[in-house]
Amino acid sequence: MVRDLRICCVGDSFVAGVGDTRCLGWVGRLGVSAHAAGYAPTLYNLGVRGQTSTDIQIRWLGECERRLPAGSDARVVLSFGVNDTSWDGGGPRVDPEVSQEALTRMLAHAADRDWRVLMVAPPPVDDVAHNERTADLDERFAEICARAAVPYVRVHRALRESALWMREVAEGDGAHPGARGYDLLAELIAPHWREWLSAE
Amino acid sequence: MVRDLRICCVGDSFVAGVGDTRCLGWVGRLGVSAHAAGYAPTLYNLGVRGQTSTDIQIRWLGECERRLPAGSDARVVLSFGVNDTSWDGGGPRVDPEVSQEALTRMLAHAADRDWRVLMVAPPPVDDVAHNERTADLDERFAEICARAAVPYVRVHRALRESALWMREVAEGDGAHPGARGYDLLAELIAPHWREWLSAE
């Protein structure tokens, strides 16, 4: 009997796959690989453009609860932070301590519900100072996930060092890559995704 | 300047693309065709397995409002009904009059918000009696959409007459097709989708 695997992917525009002409994003690419590996996942993409950790914190629980019924193998993938660290006049849109608090609370709510979580780091954009702030948040998120025993996929640095990613972002809207960038991001996540999927 | 086109696709498991090993569903396939036609849509898939019109009515407005900001070309695609007409002991899960009321109210709420709507009919499954009930609901939905001047894409009969669709559904879980079935459904919707996208 096939497991009733249901996965909500929660986050921002990178989760939604904005800019991907193939309309899969990294979420869809990982879904395809899960099917190929013999899983039959029901995948829900709950990425929303422009949202920060605090925006996501408001909506994610309701949206996930109605998609993850009791009795299913209920899972959540989280990825956000780039909008938290974007500059808004005198400072980042969300203070790093507030972002940390949001993530900490989300992980606690997920644990309460027995939802197994995987977290993916916020990727870099075409703005050096913005990326510095995101790299700092990346460290903070990694620590929080380590304490919660949640796997955290550290893609931020690898993407900054990728000529392909940085070029597609620059040639796009300055934030989002195209189809090849999403290929690359999905490849970076894939080994962690496979291990996470196989955990019972 | 490219239009900021944002489209929420709201409905059930067929909207979510359950069973599609390519993880696109008909929604993703139409998104790819929109990109190919020069649009840059932000596409949100808000299909949820097992949901009836009344389940959807409870959640859709909140989920769409936070994805369709003021100033965007905000649109909604609706498709549901198969779960309404599934048999639940002594009758269908949702009485046809209640389904009609739900759709009528959703179209009124969308009109209030200036969201342009496209509706796609509920497809057939591997159960003749169930399909008869869905075909009746299809007629009712078509009338409601005609009165509201909302385009309604009548795929139900064409899919029942499609050996490919009916075979994939039977070989699958009895309700959902595979990748080729979703290809076919997307092809049936495509001309209506293109016309709807081009409307200003």
Side-chain angles (χ1 to χ4, degrees), chain B residues 19-33:
Chain B
D20 181 19
T21 52
R22 291 178 55 206
C23 287
L24 286 165
W26 56 265
V27 168
R29 285 164 173 77
L30 293 173
V32 170
S33 79

Side-chain angles (χ1 to χ4, degrees), chain A residues 4 6 16 18 20-24 28 31-32 35 42 44-49 51 59 63 66-67, chain B residues 4 6 16 18 20-24 28 31-32 35 42 44-49 51 59 63 66-67:
Chain A
D4 182 11
R6 307 208 182 191
V18 169
D20 181 19
T21 52
R22 292 178 54 206
C23 288
L24 286 164
V32 169
H35 275 285
T42 300
Y44 294 115
N45 191 320
L46 297 172
V48 178
R49 284 190 88 143
Q51 288 206 331
R59 68 168 170 92
E63 292 188 354
R66 61 183 76 114
R67 287 166 172 83
Chain B
D4 182 12
R6 307 210 181 189
V18 169
D20 181 19
T21 52
R22 291 178 55 206
C23 287
L24 286 165
V32 170
H35 275 285
T42 300
Y44 294 114
N45 191 320
L46 298 171
V48 179
R49 284 190 89 144
Q51 289 208 330
R59 68 169 170 93
E63 293 189 352
R66 62 183 76 114
R67 287 167 172 82

Side-chain angles (χ1 to χ4, degrees), chain B residues 68-115:
Chain B
L68 301 173
S72 64
D73 183 347
R75 299 181 177 226
V76 175
V77 179
L78 298 174
S79 187
F80 50 79
V82 179
N83 294 312
D84 293 48
T85 57
S86 68
W87 202 252
D88 184 24
R93 274 182 68 194
V94 179
D95 188 88
E97 275 74 33
V98 176
S99 306
Q100 284 178 281
E101 226 171 86
L103 174 58
T104 303
R105 198 164 306 161
M106 288 173 75
L107 295 183
H109 283 305
D112 287 346
R113 286 157 183 79
D114 278 329
W115 295 342

Side-chain angles (χ1 to χ4, degrees), chain A residues 79 105 111 170:
Chain A
S79 187
R105 197 166 305 162

Side-chain angles (χ1 to χ4, degrees), chain B residues 19 41 58 94 113 142-143 146 160 191 196:
Chain B
I58 292 168
V94 179
R113 286 157 183 79
E143 276 173 37
R160 272 175 91 169
W196 180 73

